[in-house]
Amino acid sequence: MNYEIVIGLEVHTELSTKRKIFCNCTTQFGGEPNTHVCEICSGMPGTLPVLNKKVVEYAIRTGIATNCDITTNNKFDRKNYFYPDLPKAYQISQLYFPICRNGHIDIIGKDGEEKQVRIHEIHMEEDAGKLIHDDWEDCTLVDYNRCGVPLLEIVSEPDMRSAEEVIDYLTKLRSILQYTGVSDCKMQEGSLRADVNLSVREMGSKEFGTRTEMKNMNSFKAIARAIEYEAQRQIDIIEEGGKVVQETRRWDDANGESYAMRSKEDAQDYKYFPEPDLPPIIIGKEWIESVKNNLPELKDAKKKRYIEQLGLPEYDTGLITDSIHLVRLFEKTSEICKKPKIAANWILGELLMRLNESGKTPEDIDFDDSSLGKIIVMVEEGKISRDTGKKVFKKVFEENVDPEKYVAENNLGLVSDTATLKPVIEDVIAQNEKSVNEYKGGKQQALQYLIGQCMRALRGKAPAQEVQKILKELLDK
Ligand code: ADP
Ligand code: MG
Ligand code: ZN
């Protein structure tokens, strides 16, 4: 029999707001355990949450960028469950009136045609803490720093039909979240994670099969592998005359298999009720309009502008716009050096080479964002040679040095004033009588040799063109 895979995703993304959703604690990743906490996010009795307005704004931004309707009358609901990483024993979420509904993201489908993946809803909620299993002491520790970090949950319809479509959808979604500034989507830090709901059915069938859910997947590679594995597992069960059980499964990427965690819980298991500690949020039309008008430029629009206005080649543009981190560096660098094409060349050449060499990705770039621009200015103004520029960039990339200071301290600047260059060149002429005579006899190669000797004497610290000019003037006298 021929089978079709059916996939729907629930994606959780941590927002880039500075403060948590219901208190003033920082959302910064990491930190000493239990230092980013207060009475509110650690769930002390008698405290009251206050909604961070930025979270609502970010949710509206995401909704607009994913073609959703924005719900004007919002409220929060309380989802009750006990788990040690959730000190209140409930999570504030949205069940009945999620902030965004009925959207879609366009992807390239299995057949190569553009296709829509519908978004069922997007809702706001708070993240839970983290459990740390300490095998050495044989106990479990809990870190509440992540408690109350704002989340959006983006729920798709079961519209995807293959691992490729899922990766395409996630790539598009990640780009939207990054370009709108809603999230940094660092998967290793858990700021983008996906629950993969998957079922299989006979090709052509109208009914959906029974699905399983693989929770908290945080790498594209693992997601693609998990989909292949889980689809085959379900097909095998059906082929053997069995029935797929609706359950939550965990994907074990190291062993390349999934295993059952618990049977699927329903909304009613959580005894949801309207959150009594927060008033409803009414979102006015003007607010939605103003968010819409201030939406940052998204990927496709940026790409078009780079090609049409800056004259960048399409291929180069694609490489840069694939990563918001490269986009930010490119825009900052162009702003400083005023030469976008040259900025693009340095990024695609030197920077990508350094990233490749060190096994890093654009998210890992940690040097000052004005440094590359400063290097380009020095090269373009003839203050340093291109080669020196590349060496300085390597230092910037590795140690985040200040490029101008580094050039000054290491005496790497080019000397181009004639008064300094002339005596050195005269000296070279005096010492290379043979080549000088050859040049005068019409042998052009001899000139190259003499330039080389001058550059050596100047230890490469003069612009070759300037040296050639002075040399010729002296020889042709
Ligand atoms: P719940 O709230 O119980 O998790 P939902 O109906 O909200 O269930 O669905 C959760 C996710 O599962 C959605 O992304 C949806 O697209 C997906 N989904 C629902 N039914 C199926 C199915 N039969 N096969 C694959 N995915 C499904
Ligand atoms: Mg669910
Ligand atoms: Zn707090």
Side-chain angles (χ1 to χ4, degrees), residues 76-272:
F76 283 97
D77 302 293
R78 192 176 280 195
K79 180 180 186 180
N80 295 282
Y81 66 99
F82 176 75
Y83 206 61
D85 60 4
L86 191 78
K88 293 201 297 278
Y90 60 83
Q91 179 192 33
I92 302 180
S93 180
Q94 292 191 295
L95 178 70
Y96 302 106
F97 297 97
I99 185 159
C100 314
R101 275 186 281 213
N102 300 327
H104 63 85
I105 289 178
D106 299 329
I107 64 163
I108 304 298
K110 242 179 141 175
D111 49 11
E113 297 279 306
E114 192 157 275
K115 102 173 221 188
Q116 282 190 354
V117 174
R118 290 166 302 155
I119 307 244
H120 179 76
E121 65 169 77
I122 301 177
H123 59 257
M124 302 177 279
E125 59 187 27
E126 55 182 334
D127 211 345
K130 255 186 203 161
L131 295 179
I132 300 147
H133 304 286
D134 186 338
D135 287 336
W136 187 251
E137 297 280 349
D138 193 23
C139 64
T140 298
L141 303 165
V142 60
D143 175 6
Y144 290 143
N145 282 355
R146 203 177 65 179
C147 269
V149 169
L151 290 178
L152 286 182
E153 179 172 340
I154 302 148
V155 183
S156 85
E157 296 290 351
D159 285 348
M160 287 159 274
R161 297 289 175 267
S162 68
E164 291 76 38
E165 288 189 2
V166 168
I167 301 304
D168 198 11
Y169 169 81
L170 285 172
T171 307
K172 282 269 158 67
L173 178 60
R174 180 174 65 180
S175 152
I176 289 169
L177 294 169
Q178 289 181 334
Y179 271 85
T180 48
V182 165
S183 173
D184 60 19
C185 296
K186 290 187 179 168
M187 295 190 87
Q188 324 81 297
E189 294 184 3
S191 58
L192 186 75
R193 40 195 211 255
D195 302 344
V196 179
N197 296 272
L198 186 150
S199 62
V200 298
R201 64 178 172 187
E202 198 181 321
M203 194 64 94
S205 157
K206 292 261 178 297
E207 307 268 296
F208 284 137
T210 304
R211 75 184 141 117
T212 60
E213 178 171 6
M214 290 179 285
K215 279 203 179 293
N216 277 327
M217 313 250 350
N218 62 359
S219 106
F220 283 11
K221 244 191 214 145
I223 289 172
R225 289 180 71 204
I227 289 173
E228 300 299 342
Y229 174 91
E230 180 59 16
Q232 195 54 52
R233 192 189 68 87
Q234 292 187 12
I235 291 170
D236 291 346
I237 291 175
I238 296 168
E239 290 280 294
E240 284 161 19
K243 270 204 163 88
V244 174
V245 181
Q246 186 169 348
E247 63 191 358
T248 302
R249 300 180 67 84
R250 180 180 291 287
W251 171 250
D252 177 349
D253 203 43
N255 291 317
E257 57 187 28
S258 68
Y259 55 88
M261 254 168 65
R262 56 168 187 259
S263 66
K264 172 78 190 152
E265 65 287 306
D266 277 324
Q268 62 182 24
D269 295 333
Y270 292 115
K271 303 211 166 41
Y272 277 98

